[in-house]
Amino acid sequence: MKRGYEVKFIQSAKNEKVKQWKKLRTKKERDKTGLFLVEGEHLVYEAKEADAIVEVIVTEQYYPKLAKSRFSDDQIFMIASSLEKQLSETETPQGIFAVCKQEMDQEVKGTRFLLLDAVQDPGNVGTMIRTADAAGFDAVVLGHGSVDPYNSKVLRAAQGSHFHLPIIRGHLNEWIDRLKEMNISVYGTALQNAVSMYEAKLDSKFALLVGNEGQGVSEELLQKTTQNLYIPIFGKSESLNVSVAAGIFMYYLRGK
Amino acid sequence: MKRGYEVKFIQSAKNEKVKQWKKLRTKKERDKTGLFLVEGEHLVYEAKEADAIVEVIVTEQYYPKLAKSRFSDDQIFMIASSLEKQLSETETPQGIFAVCKQEMDQEVKGTRFLLLDAVQDPGNVGTMIRTADAAGFDAVVLGHGSVDPYNSKVLRAAQGSHFHLPIIRGHLNEWIDRLKEMNISVYGTALQNAVSMYEAKLDSKFALLVGNEGQGVSEELLQKTTQNLYIPIFGKSESLNVSVAAGIFMYYLRGK
């Protein structure tokens, strides 16, 4: 039996599978199914490595390049190249996509957490997930009002870090309580009523809480933290980009 | 004489001024004239503060809100609201623009420099200019192959920092020589053949050299530096976003 004949080949945009995959571009469908769609070689192979893949979708052109032995036959779908644009959200699609399972394990483990309060820009959220991964953090928790972490732009900016550490959605109010019960210090970030990070006494077990660029962290959450910190501004700019600030904080708090 | 009558009011898209302003959206025209266009209240007032404004352009709607006493009559142009979209590069224009002079002063002063080797993403370049300002750097030098710093996206991401420190275009090869002659250490950034920033012996007078995300700093320049540094990756991500990495480096090198 030739292998090529076993793989499902989809040519019509009206195919039910294609319709389902397209729907995964909406948050509603992702929430309902617990699935999400990634695209591009790098993300697909990161997903594979993390055992998160349900289905892998390749164009006819890409098919010969696919490392087929790494997938089971019934996971692979080949699509007509004309359908690629229907699934892709990039300008230069690479011909490879995967449907993945969202991480549902919400267990709290570790000593370093990043909490995001209503961060809405997908590029910023993805970049912060990537930085949290690089800095060796144990989880990222997205509070109410934050962008869906399985949004394609977040996935793209995070460059696969979704598959390296737990990305959790939760109520930050409850998370702060829980972390403090675990003796993990919670450091809010604020421009006022805060201590310079250089002058603060810092613990090695901590959660860093950052907010959106416009409003920062909500007053209610800032009241609940162990301590609130700021990065000194030595020049004339009013503030830093949130994902740059989060990076400076994460590496500073982490230390050597 | 009533003030309102003195201000020039432009209603036609065919007006020569409108045509000139629109042309400033191209690098070619900006290079030829030494001018650039900013939009939005924040940038216009930052430009005013820095004495960089040649002309200020407001829509009819915005006109009553303009702090007219801060400009001379012949600097102010009022345009029909229908022309706003022709000048704006944002989705929600604020009705105020300014034509500004590019900083031509290329004198080297100071002890902390950021050098950008072929960084092409305007958001990254703007964010790095903003961070360099915040970290109290003395200048940003953009080498060959970097995006035009007067591109509207760079200006937007930098949030006015263009008006706080010199933004210079130059040959990085020559700059590295010149800085070293001034006893300023030049630190390249690289993932290989480099020292962890935490372990490096660092000087207080330095230039940080970062490259584009794909290729990093060119091999030729890395050969000329005083020392090449990297930020340790503690997790599983392969690298950091360039503007986040630059932020971590700048604040680390700057120290307290």
Side-chain angles (χ1 to χ4, degrees):
Chain A
M1 213 163 33
K2 282 191 207 148
R3 198 155 197 299
Y5 289 89
E6 296 162 19
V7 165
K8 290 156 286 291
F9 180 41
I10 296 176
Q11 289 175 283
S12 163
K14 290 180 184 156
N15 179 288
E16 278 306 314
K17 275 286 175 195
V18 174
K19 288 185 194 167
Q20 281 171 29
W21 296 330
K22 277 174 67 176
K23 276 198 207 158
L24 289 176
R25 288 164 56 160
T26 66
K27 178 174 186 302
K28 192 178 159 192
E29 185 71 8
R30 292 192 295 264
D31 286 348
K32 201 175 92 185
T33 58
L35 301 172
F36 64 104
L37 191 68
V38 298
E39 68 174 292
E41 273 185 345
H42 178 73
L43 286 181
V44 170
Y45 284 102
E46 289 274 4
K48 178 66 201 160
E49 205 63 44
D51 208 16
I53 289 187
V54 179
E55 292 166 342
V56 60
I57 305 149
V58 290
T59 58
E60 300 165 87
Q61 269 90 339
Y62 192 91
Y63 184 73
K65 286 195 285 173
L66 183 68
K68 292 165 201 72
S69 61
R70 300 188 56 191
F71 301 93
S72 67
D73 281 353
D74 58 355
Q75 277 188 316
I76 305 176
F77 291 80
M78 184 163 73
I79 58 170
S81 297
S82 58
L83 299 181
E84 181 176 24
K85 280 207 176 130
Q86 308 233 9
L87 300 185
S88 178
E89 298 193 58
T90 62
E91 278 175 32
T92 50
Q94 297 174 21
I96 179 165
F97 302 83
V99 175
C100 304
K101 289 173 290 197
Q102 294 182 21
E103 177 67 67
M104 291 300 175
D105 177 10
Q106 306 239 342
E107 207 188 333
V108 193
K109 274 191 302 197
T111 55
R112 294 187 198 95
F113 297 87
L114 176 65
L115 315 182
L116 306 183
D117 179 29
V119 184
Q120 281 155 349
D121 181 83
N124 281 336
V125 170
T127 301
M128 288 193 276
I129 290 172
R130 179 179 175 192
T131 310
D133 177 11
F137 275 50
D138 298 301
V140 177
V141 184
L142 291 97
H144 188 73
S146 294
V147 69
D148 179 14
Y150 298 104
N151 167 309
S152 68
K153 285 183 191 161
V154 178
L155 286 159
R156 210 149 54 233
Q159 298 212 352
S161 291
H162 283 74
F163 303 113
H164 301 161
L165 78 172
I167 310 298
I168 300 166
R169 280 169 290 190
H171 294 284
L172 294 186
N173 240 311
E174 295 167 15
W175 268 85
I176 293 175
D177 291 336
R178 221 188 313 176
L179 289 164
K180 283 161 79 180
E181 278 164 26
M182 292 163 67
N183 283 319
I184 290 176
S185 298
V186 179
Y187 299 132
T189 54
L191 298 175
Q192 273 138 21
N193 300 320
V195 180
S196 162
M197 67 177 186
Y198 292 128
E199 274 144 38
K201 197 181 158 298
L202 299 168
D203 295 320
S204 60
K205 293 166 68 177
F206 65 87
L208 174 70
L209 167 62
V210 303
N212 89 357
E213 286 238 29
Q215 282 112 53
V217 177
S218 77
E219 203 46 54
E220 187 196 350
L221 296 178
L222 285 178
Q223 300 282 345
K224 299 190 63 159
T225 57
T226 312
Q227 186 172 212
N228 296 320
L229 307 175
Y230 71 84
I231 297 169
I233 302 288
F234 300 103
K236 283 181 262 175
S237 73
E238 288 167 17
S239 61
L240 289 158
N241 167 283
V242 65
S243 51
V244 172
I248 295 168
F249 271 126
M250 282 191 264
Y251 266 86
Y252 186 77
L253 292 171
R254 197 206 193 285
K256 307 171 195 192
Chain B
M1 213 164 36
K2 284 195 205 143
R3 194 154 200 302
Y5 289 90
E6 298 163 18
V7 164
K8 291 156 284 291
F9 180 42
I10 297 176
Q11 289 175 285
S12 164
K14 290 180 184 155
N15 179 287
E16 278 306 314
K17 276 284 175 194
V18 174
K19 287 187 195 165
Q20 280 173 27
W21 295 331
K22 277 173 69 175
K23 276 198 207 158
L24 288 177
R25 288 163 56 158
T26 67
K27 179 174 184 303
K28 190 178 162 195
E29 185 71 8
R30 292 191 296 263
D31 286 348
K32 200 175 91 184
T33 58
L35 300 173
F36 64 106
L37 190 69
V38 298
E39 68 174 291
E41 274 186 344
H42 177 73
L43 287 181
V44 171
Y45 285 102
E46 288 274 5
K48 179 64 200 160
E49 205 63 45
D51 208 17
I53 290 188
V54 179
E55 292 166 341
V56 60
I57 304 148
V58 291
T59 58
E60 297 166 88
Q61 269 89 340
Y62 192 91
Y63 184 72
K65 286 196 284 173
L66 182 69
K68 292 165 203 73
S69 61
R70 299 188 58 191
F71 302 93
S72 67
D73 282 353
D74 59 354
Q75 277 188 315
I76 306 175
F77 291 81
M78 184 163 74
I79 58 170
S81 297
S82 58
L83 299 181
E84 181 176 23
K85 279 207 176 129
Q86 308 231 10
L87 300 186
S88 179
E89 296 194 61
T90 62
E91 279 177 31
T92 50
Q94 297 174 23
I96 178 165
F97 303 83
V99 175
C100 304
K101 288 172 290 195
Q102 295 182 21
E103 177 66 67
M104 291 299 175
D105 176 11
Q106 307 238 345
E107 207 190 331
V108 192
K109 273 190 303 193
T111 56
R112 294 187 196 95
F113 297 87
L114 176 66
L115 314 182
L116 305 183
D117 179 30
V119 185
Q120 282 155 348
D121 181 84
N124 281 336
V125 170
T127 300
M128 288 192 277
I129 290 172
R130 181 180 173 190
T131 310
D133 177 11
F137 275 50
D138 298 302
V140 177
V141 184
L142 291 96
H144 188 74
S146 294
V147 68
D148 179 13
Y150 298 103
N151 167 310
S152 68
K153 286 183 190 161
V154 178
L155 287 159
R156 211 149 54 234
Q159 299 212 352
S161 290
H162 282 74
F163 303 112
H164 300 162
L165 77 173
I167 310 298
I168 301 165
R169 281 170 289 190
H171 293 284
L172 294 185
N173 242 313
E174 295 167 16
W175 268 85
I176 292 174
D177 291 336
R178 219 187 315 174
L179 289 163
K180 283 160 79 179
E181 278 165 26
M182 292 164 66
N183 282 318
I184 290 176
S185 298
V186 180
Y187 300 132
T189 55
L191 298 174
Q192 272 139 20
N193 300 321
V195 180
S196 162
M197 67 176 183
Y198 293 128
E199 275 143 39
K201 197 181 158 299
L202 299 168
D203 295 320
S204 60
K205 291 165 69 176
F206 64 86
L208 173 70
L209 166 64
V210 303
N212 89 358
E213 285 240 29
Q215 282 112 53
V217 178
S218 78
E219 203 48 53
E220 186 195 353
L221 295 179
L222 286 178
Q223 302 281 345
K224 298 190 64 159
T225 58
T226 312
Q227 185 173 212
N228 296 320
L229 306 175
Y230 70 85
I231 297 170
I233 302 287
F234 301 103
K236 284 180 261 175
S237 73
E238 288 166 17
S239 61
L240 290 158
N241 166 283
V242 64
S243 51
V244 172
I248 294 168
F249 271 124
M250 282 191 261
Y251 266 87
Y252 186 77
L253 291 171
R254 197 209 192 282
K256 309 173 195 191

